[in-house]
Amino acid sequence: MDETTLFLTITGMTLVTCGPRILPVLALTSRPLPAPVVRWLSFVPAAVLSAMLAPALLVHDGAIALNTDNYYLWAAIPAFLVAWKTRSFFGTVALGMALVAGARHFFG
């Protein structure tokens, strides 16, 4: 592959990757969003976090595991309560890690 082709490939990949991210920001920076859109966007972080967490908590060895051997699921319940009551990221993560480590140590 010659240098011109390599340069054009990298430039094209950059435009395709950055374009869809930058254009909406540039188009919407100076405009206020409608209230329903702002409300809808407020749910995006929770939805993304749930989509990332649910498989890690519920799926074990390729199947849904709602049994007592799923330490991640059982550790998530008190961690969720700590997060809800304290809104402390560090406390939630520390409690979750401690519970999983304790469960692995005492129960296998």
Side-chain angles (χ1 to χ4, degrees), residues 31-93:
R31 298 180 186 167
L33 294 174
V37 174
V38 172
R39 180 169 162 73
W40 179 77
L41 287 174
S42 71
F43 295 112
V44 170
V48 170
L49 183 62
S50 298
M52 292 185 339
L53 261 175
L57 294 177
L58 300 174
V59 177
H60 188 68
D61 291 333
I64 293 178
L66 298 175
N67 52 28
T68 57
D69 294 337
N70 188 352
Y71 302 138
Y72 298 114
L73 178 62
W74 295 110
I77 295 169
F80 174 76
L81 293 174
V82 166
W84 180 43
K85 289 292 184 185
T86 66
R87 300 195 183 271
S88 167
F89 177 75
F90 178 75
T92 303
V93 171

